Amino acid sequence: MAVKVAFITVTLQHYRLSFYEKLSREKGFEIRVYHGVHQKNDGRPSYSGEVSFANEIFEEHKRQVGPFSVVENRGLMEKVRAFDPDIIVLPGIAGIVTNRRIASWAKRRQKKLIIWSCGWEPGRAKGLLLAMKNHMVSRMFRKGDCHLTYSTKASDYVESLGVAKGLITTCYNGIEIDDLLKNEKEIKQSAKKVREELKLDGKKTFIYVGGLIPEKRIDLLIAAFLQLRKKYDEIRLLIIGDGPERADMLKMLDAANDPNINWLGRIVDGVDAYFAAADCMVLPGIGGLALNQAMIWGKPCIVSEADGTEDDLVIDGKTGFRFRAHKQESLQDAMVRYISLSEEEKAVMSESAREIILTKSNTNKMVEEFLAAFRRLV
């Protein structure tokens, strides 16, 4: 009889589809994914197409209580009870009230509970409010039979909340690489066309790919780039993405009137050609998987504090450069460090960046870790 696994996630994202598909193909397990749907344009749209794995939609209701977002996933509790899973995988977000209820139900019914945590802390709560939040998160986390985390930083965070170290496994958040490797030649040919169309040859091209939301700090990147343009003629900036900050960003670009900055809108299918065409990825604010997607194409990355995965991926001077969060001058210095690299240094950094994704931060490794956790629990 197959082990039933209820996999609960905030929303269904295109970059997670192959992860769920591969888990669902594994014999001995019946996987069902429960997910919400984004109701507003926040730069991170939900996937809405057909999928090959069992899934059900719940209705998300959010309200703001002081600095906290409190979320109720209506109908989810009833759906999970009807499925009656042996294992439940919950996102480590205690602000989702339904998650806490499901965790309590799982303990009463002796279901095995895996809590999957990013470990990113937005920092809106301070002092007593932060202590209250950490207490609430700790109570939920201690109900987990197993914890899988995005990064080493997230593992340390979970342990700091009172979870035994032996229950925590770092499962590096990764991207699907099978199709990229299979189609590598074609993608590189497309990248060559991108370079020709955008006239990137002979230039040092920085790229940003992600949502246009305040936390991503696209304004910081544009300001830093414009400052560097006073000294460097040969640099370019490609911006790929959309979201609620688009209007403000376009005002900045109109005022700058710099032909060396190109906003290309949101690109999902075919975006790898742009990563491959660029020279260096810059993540000026929060984020994560864009680093992986750049590094599989051998692109060094510049980042400050993203979602915690940056500490495992972007090693200063080896796979990219780090800068102090929200500090324009520090970001400029990091970009200058890249501009100043010799071709030999770039080649070494490129190889190191790609190797990390191939060996430890990809969907295949994630699937291995999750299946190992399932088997330990049953």
Side-chain angles (χ1 to χ4, degrees), residues 59-75:
E59 191 176 333
E60 179 186 87
H61 289 261
K62 183 183 293 187
R63 66 184 187 278
Q64 201 68 26
V65 180
F68 304 117
S69 293
V70 179
V71 179
E72 181 181 359
N73 294 329
R74 294 180 183 173

Side-chain angles (χ1 to χ4, degrees), residues 161-172:
L161 293 171
V163 175
K165 191 171 185 176
L167 298 179
I168 307 168
T169 299
T170 303
C171 174
Y172 299 105

Side-chain angles (χ1 to χ4, degrees), residues 1 8 135 177 182 185 210 212 262 293 334 342:
M1 193 176 203
I8 298 163
H135 176 70
I177 63 173
K182 179 182 177 181
K185 183 178 179 181
L212 301 181
N262 294 89
Q293 206 160 359
S342 68

Side-chain angles (χ1 to χ4, degrees), residues 3 10 24 32 63 72 219-220 268 310 355 365:
V3 175
V10 174
S24 298
R32 185 166 297 179
R63 66 184 187 278
E72 181 181 359
D219 59 319
L220 185 72
V268 177
E310 70 278 2
E355 184 67 14
K365 292 295 183 182

Side-chain angles (χ1 to χ4, degrees), residues 204-220:
K204 293 180 173 67
T205 302
F206 296 97
I207 188 171
Y208 167 82
V209 179
L212 301 181
I213 58 176
E215 299 90 341
K216 298 282 191 178
R217 292 307 313 270
I218 190 64
D219 59 319
L220 185 72

